[in-house]
Amino acid sequence: MPQVRVRFAPSPTGFFHIGSARTALFNWLYARHTGGVFILRVEDTDQARNSEEFLNLIYNSLRWLGLNWDEGPQAGGDFGPYLQSERASVYAEFLGRLKASGRTYEKDGALFFRISGEPQVIEDAIRGRVERTEEKDFVIVRSDGKPVFHFVNVVDDISMRVSHVIRGEDHLSNTSKHTELFKALGAPIPVYAHIPLILKQNGPGKMSKRDQGALVEEYQKRGFLPEALVNFLCLLGWSPKDDREKLPLEEVVRLFDLPGVNQSNARFDEKKLAHMNMVYLHEMAPERCLVLARDFLLGRSYFAGGMPAEAYLRDVIALCQPKVRAIEDLPGFIGYFFGEDFATDPKAREKVFAKGDPKARLGELLAALALADFSSDAALETLVKALAEEHGAATGDYIHPARLAVSGTAVGPSFYGLLRVLGRDRVIRRIGRFLATA
Ligand code: GLU
């Protein structure tokens, strides 16, 4: 079988959204599954709506998602240039061929393509047999001299030797125009695979760039894990045909095929994405989590008052990683590790003072901590257990008031880890302050 060549062909006329990312991903998966070539082609013929910013967003988003392209801008390849704005000579050459075939004519300054009027039948790799007949000749070069989308799209697929056109279902209705052009140019027709739409989370209709949660850049800014987003996108229209949801990408590459893509539309589900992101976060190596968390926090100027020591930050992040749902929850979760002026939750305080004698327990703990081994959670746990036994109390009688004293809240990471990471000086100072003001 000849080598598979697929392309992702975005137009840099807007923000990079989930639907585009999914189309790019399915092309990438098919290329990797078949050992083929993944081409990035930029359809930037609409000069009025193109922007450099949107173009860079395409590159950045694809890179962030890990969808590296084999041919295209910044990657090179034998069939370039890969920006349509640089391919005028290719279009002129193909236009010459089409004119020579006698299938074009001019009217009102525009150049029209004369359709055959025959039914256009494709065997779509996802949707099966689709038949459609064009009824009207259509413009291929506008009166201002600019070739239109249908023409340049087909010319590029021919000249870049694209074997499979995997794109959104919104292009299905264009396909009969395209096959008319392929035939008129004497070129083989690629295999088509039209991916079903992504429906918006609530209500009917297709998800649009304006819908909540639609932009890839937003997830990047919010510290989402790209591998979680990619896993989520794989499941928007494809599944491994069992109940699994979290799948290593290598396995998706192995299993992915076009007939396995659903014919029915997929619904976007932000909760499912958030959950996937959490699962990935909790399984991630602490070293990588540290890098992502640090970048995220720096991006939000979190350490404007001074960068903490590397080892301390590492310990804080490692301790909190299993406890937060997302990187973006960290700022609200770790504040008391980096400053003394944290607030005390009044509800948690009320609860602590509702029974027993928390001040007496804290006094006992304070005395014991002066000589305690802070190097391991186990040592601190042993110490608290011994205290409880000695005073006929429960460990919780120490843990709840002490957590409140050192962090101001009843929720947080493991208690012994909390003490260990804060360290003896901070813990003793904070408990002392709490006792003085309680
Ligand atoms: N530039 C078109 C789009 O962004 C691509 C169409 C195609 O993939 O053939 O929708």
Side-chain angles (χ1 to χ4, degrees):
M1 201 176 110
Q3 192 175 42
V4 164
R5 292 176 58 83
V6 292
R7 84 299 193 275
F8 172 53
S11 301
T13 53
F15 288 103
F16 194 77
H17 60 106
I18 291 286
S20 298
R22 202 258 319 241
T23 300
L25 172 65
F26 281 19
N27 274 282
W28 182 92
L29 283 170
Y30 192 62
R32 296 296 170 259
H33 175 75
T34 55
V37 176
F38 176 53
I39 304 164
L40 174 61
R41 177 174 83 225
V42 178
E43 303 213 322
D44 58 346
T45 50
D46 187 346
Q47 271 164 354
R49 290 171 61 221
N50 286 332
S51 91
E52 188 78 15
E53 183 203 343
F54 291 139
L55 182 60
N56 285 325
L57 207 53
I58 292 171
Y59 300 151
N60 292 343
S61 299
L62 288 175
R63 289 216 172 89
W64 180 65
L65 292 168
L67 305 179
N68 53 317
W69 54 100
D70 308 308
E71 288 180 24
Q74 305 180 348
D78 293 339
F79 304 92
Y82 293 90
L83 264 62
Q84 288 189 331
S85 57
E86 296 172 4
R87 296 177 63 78
S89 61
V90 180
Y91 304 137
E93 184 204 323
F94 276 81
L95 198 58
R97 280 205 227 166
L98 204 56
K99 281 182 175 163
S101 76
R103 295 285 295 276
T104 62
Y105 61 90
E106 248 185 81
K107 198 174 98 187
D108 305 329
L111 191 71
F112 279 74
F113 172 69
R114 195 192 321 276
I115 57 159
S116 71
E118 285 160 14
Q120 302 296 307
V121 182
I122 56 163
E123 298 295 337
D124 191 283
I126 295 170
R127 308 190 53 91
R129 194 184 179 86
V130 180
E131 187 181 320
R132 199 184 135 100
T133 307
E134 283 300 315
E135 283 165 3
K136 278 200 340 235
D137 294 349
F138 57 90
V139 174
I140 50 170
V141 181
R142 283 192 298 256
S143 51
D144 63 4
K146 298 254 157 53
V148 304
F149 161 72
H150 302 297
F151 180 70
V152 295
N153 182 270
V154 166
V155 166
D156 285 349
D157 284 342
I158 296 171
S159 57
M160 293 177 184
R161 321 258 166 103
V162 168
S163 63
H164 292 67
V165 171
I166 305 170
R167 62 185 174 188
E169 202 185 272
D170 46 333
H171 285 291
L172 187 59
S173 59
N174 293 326
T175 305
S176 45
K177 287 192 180 67
H178 296 182
T179 54
E180 284 263 11
L181 284 169
F182 276 104
K183 289 175 192 166
L185 286 162
I189 293 170
V191 175
Y192 284 98
H194 286 93
I195 317 171
L197 300 177
I198 301 174
L199 301 177
K200 62 171 90 194
Q201 175 140 328
N202 304 305
K206 181 186 161 190
M207 189 168 184
S208 86
K209 300 185 192 201
R210 288 168 302 281
D211 282 314
Q212 151 105 357
L215 305 185
V216 171
E217 193 194 10
E218 252 173 57
Y219 294 104
Q220 189 177 2
K221 284 193 184 140
R222 287 171 58 191
F224 269 65
L225 311 179
E227 57 271 41
L229 183 54
V230 165
N231 192 150
F232 171 81
L233 291 172
C234 287
L235 301 177
L236 274 183
W238 177 87
S239 79
K241 303 278 176 280
D242 54 36
D243 289 341
R244 284 177 307 160
E245 298 225 300
K246 182 171 185 286
L247 290 161
L249 192 57
E250 311 82 72
E251 199 176 344
V252 182
V253 165
R254 195 164 58 72
L255 297 173
F256 186 86
D257 205 356
L258 296 173
V261 175
N262 301 335
Q263 288 192 28
S264 53
N265 294 331
R267 191 174 292 280
F268 183 75
D269 181 347
E270 222 178 353
K271 278 210 185 88
K272 183 168 164 178
L273 172 54
H275 179 77
M276 186 71 80
N277 187 55
M278 183 188 75
V279 172
Y280 272 89
L281 176 65
H282 291 172
E283 288 181 6
M284 188 165 58
E287 273 308 309
R288 173 137 188 269
C289 186
L290 174 64
V291 171
L292 294 176
R294 192 205 284 113
D295 286 352
F296 179 82
L297 294 166
L298 286 174
R300 305 248 164 147
S301 308
Y302 194 73
F303 298 119
M307 197 62 197
E310 174 79 13
Y312 183 61
L313 183 60
R314 168 177 287 116
D315 287 348
V316 170
I317 301 302
L319 183 67
C320 297
Q321 181 185 352
K323 294 294 176 182
V324 290
R325 290 181 55 84
I327 297 261
E328 67 180 331
D329 293 345
L330 279 173
F333 197 80
I334 60 174
Y336 54 80
F337 283 101
F338 303 102
E340 297 302 319
D341 56 347
F342 52 88
T344 297
D345 174 9
K347 280 227 171 69
R349 184 189 185 90
E350 205 176 297
K351 215 171 157 199
V352 157
F353 282 98
K355 74 173 194 0
D357 188 351
K359 287 180 116 179
R361 300 289 86 77
L362 281 179
E364 291 153 15
L365 182 64
L366 201 52
L369 287 177
L371 296 168
D373 172 5
F374 269 76
S375 67
S376 81
D377 296 9
L380 289 161
E381 186 171 355
T382 306
L383 175 137
V384 172
K385 279 190 172 148
L387 266 186
E389 216 157 280
E390 186 188 336
H391 296 279
T395 50
D397 297 338
Y398 295 92
I399 293 173
H400 302 310
R403 181 190 284 285
L404 186 68
V406 302
S407 70
T409 164
V411 290
S414 104
F415 174 67
Y416 301 110
L418 174 64
L419 297 189
R420 169 178 51 79
V421 171
L422 283 172
R424 188 198 317 275
D425 291 352
R426 273 197 201 86
V427 168
I428 287 182
R429 200 182 330 126
R430 289 181 185 185
I431 294 178
R433 188 180 65 181
F434 184 84
L435 283 173
T437 56

